[in-house]
Amino acid sequence: MAAFSTLLYYIFAYHLVRSDFIRLISLVAGLFIITYFLIKSYGWNFWLLAGIGIFFRLLFLPAIPNLSQDFYRFLWDGRMIVNGLNPYLYTPESILASPELIMGEIPHNGQLLKDGMGALNASHFSNYPPVNQFFFGIAALLTGKSILGSVIVLRILIILADLGTLYFGSKLLKAMDLPATNIFWYFLNPFIIIELTGNLHFEGVMLCFLVWSLYLLHRKKWVWSAILFGVSISVKLIPLLLLPLLMKYLVKRTNIKNGILRLAGYYTL
């Protein structure tokens, strides 16, 4: 089963055109079916499933994303930062049209990156939060002018984040008296592997910090949990939607006053 999944992921990464809907849906359906049987058959072996999940992700390592063009904007923002420019102040379109605006160096391969991200993206200011921008900057700093090199660095960061989710997610499940292997419904999920590792979407990094935060919250480590929750928000804003759900957990009926103070402190951090 793992060998057949490897073949399907390889086709997905290197031989799929995004407009080929029939092949796309067939690959996704096949991967979901195989993943279900993998988890059901080998759910008793945590490290075997962990190794399979890592291997599937590494298959995508040198592949250029073929279902999303967002990564071109990631590379643009990262190269802006490395050049000492604020990616929130200028649109790619305005910089390439009037380079004198920035009084600095245009990101290398600027026109190629602009064409790759598309006219709609290039005409808008960056909307990616600060921690996300930090990762973009790391990729640009380590790889310089190489687009593929930057893609590989971003992909490694996302894979490491998924490993963090695997680790803290399994610990959280154990702490809640649930089977640790339930985490593989996330870690081996084809949608997660394709969208995050394959297409370089940073929801995986956000989720790593979020799960880490929830684990610390379960351990009653409020301050560190709040800090990591804030970092998660600074990768993607989605966790803001979860803040109201913490009220019931943090504000206990037996001590409402202290609970409200704890909740206010948590939200402030």
Side-chain angles (χ1 to χ4, degrees):
M1 286 186 289
F4 191 48
S5 288
T6 299
L7 175 62
L8 296 185
Y9 278 120
Y10 177 81
I11 295 172
F12 215 112
Y14 302 99
H15 299 284
L16 177 67
V17 179
R18 63 193 297 178
S19 59
D20 190 346
F21 177 76
I22 300 300
R23 175 176 285 195
L24 171 63
I25 200 67
S26 299
L27 288 171
V28 170
L31 285 167
F32 267 102
I33 292 170
I34 295 172
T35 299
Y36 174 81
F37 286 107
L38 265 177
I39 296 174
K40 286 297 184 179
S41 300
Y42 302 103
W44 53 272
N45 193 327
F46 185 94
W47 293 109
L48 174 62
L49 291 182
I52 290 172
I54 293 170
F55 177 71
F56 288 164
R57 285 164 169 80
L58 292 177
L59 283 174
F60 286 87
L61 197 59
I64 296 293
N66 55 9
L67 297 182
S68 172
Q69 62 214 50
D70 292 346
F71 74 96
Y72 286 106
R73 184 58 186 256
F74 303 164
L75 304 190
W76 173 279
D77 284 4
R79 293 178 186 190
M80 287 276 287
I81 293 170
V82 169
N83 288 343
L85 303 169
N86 189 334
Y88 297 122
L89 295 182
Y90 311 98
T91 67
E93 197 173 70
S94 67
I95 289 179
L96 292 174
S98 305
E100 67 276 3
L101 286 174
I102 59 175
M103 301 295 291
E105 184 181 351
I106 296 175
H108 189 77
N109 286 331
Q111 187 62 49
L112 179 61
L113 296 177
K114 174 184 174 292
D115 293 341
M117 71 181 73
L120 181 62
N121 197 326
S123 63
H124 287 76
F125 294 96
S126 182
N127 61 349
Y128 298 104
V131 174
N132 223 347
Q133 298 285 356
F134 172 73
F135 291 125
F136 302 161
I138 288 177
L141 184 64
L142 293 179
T143 61
K145 301 175 181 180
S146 171
I147 290 179
L148 178 59
S150 295
V151 166
I152 291 174
V153 170
L154 292 178
R155 191 162 279 138
I156 289 172
L157 293 173
I158 291 171
I159 292 173
L160 290 175
D162 267 350
L163 290 175
T165 301
L166 174 68
Y167 176 75
F168 289 108
S170 61
K171 289 177 73 70
L172 180 59
L173 287 168
K174 288 180 181 177
M176 298 175 68
D177 295 322
L178 294 171
T181 51
N182 281 358
I183 192 63
F184 289 111
W185 294 109
Y186 167 85
F187 195 68
L188 288 177
N189 189 313
F191 179 76
I192 296 298
I193 294 173
I194 293 166
E195 270 300 291
L196 306 188
T197 301
N199 293 321
L200 296 183
H201 288 142
F202 271 74
E203 281 78 6
V205 178
M206 171 205 77
L207 193 60
C208 174
F209 287 114
L210 179 61
V211 172
W212 189 358
S213 170
L214 294 177
Y215 172 70
L216 293 178
L217 185 62
H218 188 78
R219 296 285 303 275
K220 302 291 191 291
K221 298 182 179 181
W222 318 108
V223 174
W224 282 108
S225 172
I227 291 172
L228 288 171
F229 203 102
V231 174
S232 177
I233 293 170
S234 293
V235 177
K236 289 281 184 178
L237 301 179
I238 298 172
L240 283 171
L241 299 173
L242 303 179
L243 285 177
L245 300 178
L246 298 178
M247 294 179 64
K248 185 176 180 180
Y249 187 85
L250 292 171
V251 180
K252 305 294 184 181
R253 291 182 180 179
T254 54
N255 197 336
I256 295 178
K257 181 179 178 181
N258 287 343
I260 291 175
L261 290 175
R262 187 189 302 123
L263 181 69
Y266 194 95
Y267 283 5
T268 301
L269 288 173

